[in-house]
């Protein structure tokens, strides 16, 4: 199993590190445009191998796509992150050109790859990768919901005073400060609905804190987060590589599901060796449906800024 990660920055390196530590891939190639940067990150990570007990071979390359040839899974994390006070959508001007170039260059050398898009604004970048490469929709997957759901579970556990392992919950919709749709009505603490434990007001606060999860960290860190994003990507890569059929909320191209068309947005999917193996249509409450519709309108508006 060969995995390529484009972008050796904060998220790319974190993702490569988690993939290596989980020890399911034979090879990880990290590619960056900055001379020597990916080589340095790869060497540093390889020097963790004996300490952390993994056998994954990690190599770094400067913009040499021939080294990525025949990758099974490719991850795009290249592009600029936001600074405090910015929205993800403001990154489109620079990141669209990068994602378009990177996705087509990857496809030239790995025609059978499954592509995971991380760069922001992620739903629009996933849509762009779809249009630029013409790949089948099951092989282009945007990462956002897996991270947003982890943040939702963190906030729920905090409010419940419960261990995170006791909590389950999912966030669908667009990966943006306003567009996320935390599915509070489906969230549980050890199979008991969280509404049995928390007031409506407290649950609204949990949802609000979840939606600004990325912005909160960006304010604290001065740039956006990387540990949980890297862990979220590595979980999706593992599900595909090991054909686990686990369900993750992912951004995927919709053709009528959830009443939406010609858009990539977060919905629950089954991940396996073929990438997105099934889109899971779950019933939403009227309020969740309205949030999903408004979220889709936001993503479509951002997609309209693309030069396709
Ligand atoms: N979807 C999600 O949930 C998340 C998305 N992100 C996004 O991921 C992206 C990366 O974030 P960070 O790693 O923090 O940024 P970073 O600045 O640490 O790393 C980005 C890397 O991309 C490289 N790069 C730029 N243009 C390139 C090109 N054409 N080819 C190859 N490499 C290129 C840069 O040299 C840099 O090393 C940002 O757009 C950020 O907003 C970040 C966290 C979560
Ligand atoms: O907040 C950002 O800009 C990066 C990101 O997508 C996240 O951490 O959720």
């Amino acid at each position: 199993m060969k995995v390529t990660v484009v972008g050796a920055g904060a998220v790319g390196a974190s993702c490569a590190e988690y993939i290596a530590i989980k020890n399911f891939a034979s090879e990880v190639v990290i590619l960056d445009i900055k001379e020597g940067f990916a080589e340095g990150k790869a060497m540093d990570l390889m020097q963790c191998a004996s300490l952390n007990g993994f056998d994954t071979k990690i190599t770094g390359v400067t913009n040499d796509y021939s080294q990525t040839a025949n990758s099974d899974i490719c991850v795009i994390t290249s592009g600029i992150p936001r600074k405090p006070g910015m929205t993800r959508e403001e990154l489109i001007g620079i990141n669209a050109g990068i994602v378009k170039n990177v996705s087509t260059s990857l496809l030239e050398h790995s025609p059978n790859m499954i592509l995971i898009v991380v760069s922001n604004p992620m739903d629009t970048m996933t849509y762009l990768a779809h249009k630029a490469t013409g790949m089948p929709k099951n092989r282009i997957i945007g990462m956002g919901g897996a991270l947003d759901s982890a943040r939702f579970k963190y906030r729920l556990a905090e409010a419940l005073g419960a261990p995170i392992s006791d909590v389950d919950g999912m966030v669908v919709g667009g990966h943006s400060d306003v567009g996320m749709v935390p599915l509070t009505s489906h969230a549980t603490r050890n199979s008991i609905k969280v509404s049995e434990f928390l007031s409506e007001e407290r649950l609204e606060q949990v949802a609000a804190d979840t939606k600004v999860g990325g912005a909160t960290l960006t304010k604290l860190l001065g740039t956006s987060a990387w540990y949980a994003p890297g862990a979220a990507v590595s979980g999706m890569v593992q599900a595909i590589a090991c054909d686990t059929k686990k369900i993750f909320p992912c951004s995927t191209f919709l053709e009528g599901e959830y009443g939406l068309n010609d858009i990539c947005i977060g919905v629950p999917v089954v991940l396996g060796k073929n990438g997105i193996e099934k889109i899971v249509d779950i019933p939403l409450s009227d309020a969740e449906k309205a949030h999903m519709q408004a979220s889709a309108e936001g993503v479509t508006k951002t997609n309209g800024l693309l030069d396709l």
Side-chain angles (χ1 to χ4, degrees), residues 92 96 124-125 127-129 131 301-308:
I92 192 172
T124 295
M125 294 301 102
Y127 183 78
L128 171 62
K131 297 286 175 196
K301 195 169 159 211
T302 310
N303 291 351
L305 302 172
L306 290 171
D307 183 16
L308 292 172

Side-chain angles (χ1 to χ4, degrees), residues 89 124 293-303:
E89 288 76 9
T124 295
Q293 190 57 43
S295 181
E297 280 162 21
V299 173
T300 301
K301 195 169 159 211
T302 310
N303 291 351

Side-chain angles (χ1 to χ4, degrees), residues 229-293:
V233 178
S234 77
M236 289 165 55
V237 171
Q238 185 173 23
I240 297 163
C242 303
D243 194 26
T244 63
K245 321 282 188 203
K246 265 176 82 107
I247 291 182
F248 290 86
C250 294
S251 190
T252 184
F253 190 77
L254 297 182
E255 291 172 299
E257 299 89 349
Y258 290 87
L260 300 171
N261 272 296
D262 194 34
I263 187 171
C264 290
I265 196 165
V267 295
V269 305
V270 174
L271 289 186
K273 63 178 186 310
N274 301 308
I276 293 180
E277 301 206 337
K278 186 178 165 47
I279 294 173
V280 185
D281 231 328
I282 53 168
L284 301 181
S285 68
D286 287 347
E288 287 162 350
K289 267 187 212 156
H291 286 158
M292 191 70 173
Q293 190 57 43

Side-chain angles (χ1 to χ4, degrees), residues 6-12 31-34 37 63 65 77-82 91 95 98 102 117-120 122 143-144 147 175 223-225 229:
V6 180
V11 177
L31 181 149
D32 202 283
I33 201 163
K34 197 161 123 194
F37 193 54
N63 224 25
Y65 281 88
T77 73
S78 47
I80 54 165
R82 62 174 159 167
L91 304 172
N95 288 354
I98 294 174
V102 169
V117 179
V118 181
S119 311
N120 274 316
M122 182 277 296
M143 191 293 286
L147 170 64
H175 181 62
T223 183
S224 57

Side-chain angles (χ1 to χ4, degrees), residues 1-81:
M1 174 62 53
K2 179 171 175 177
V3 181
T4 286
V5 178
V6 180
V11 177
S14 163
C15 164
E17 181 181 13
Y18 285 122
I19 292 170
I21 282 179
K22 292 178 181 179
N23 214 13
F24 60 84
S26 49
E27 194 182 351
V28 175
V29 175
I30 311 176
L31 181 149
D32 202 283
I33 201 163
K34 197 161 123 194
E35 189 70 40
F37 193 54
E39 288 84 339
K41 288 280 181 107
M43 192 185 290
D44 194 7
L45 284 171
M46 276 308 280
Q47 291 168 1
C48 299
S50 63
L51 297 163
N52 285 334
F54 62 78
D55 296 315
T56 305
K57 182 181 165 217
I58 308 168
T59 47
V61 296
T62 303
N63 224 25
D64 178 4
Y65 281 88
S66 68
Q67 302 288 321
T68 69
N70 299 318
S71 292
D72 300 287
I73 304 171
C74 297
V75 181
I76 303 182
T77 73
S78 47
I80 54 165

Side-chain angles (χ1 to χ4, degrees), residues 73-118:
I73 304 171
C74 297
V75 181
I76 303 182
T77 73
S78 47
I80 54 165
R82 62 174 159 167
K83 296 253 179 289
M86 289 173 75
T87 64
R88 295 177 181 87
E89 288 76 9
E90 287 175 69
L91 304 172
I92 192 172
I94 292 180
N95 288 354
I98 294 174
V99 170
K100 191 172 182 181
N101 268 329
V102 169
S103 55
T104 51
S105 303
L106 285 169
L107 185 62
E108 262 174 48
H109 295 86
S110 300
N112 300 317
M113 69 172 172
I114 290 172
L115 182 64
I116 300 180
V117 179
V118 181

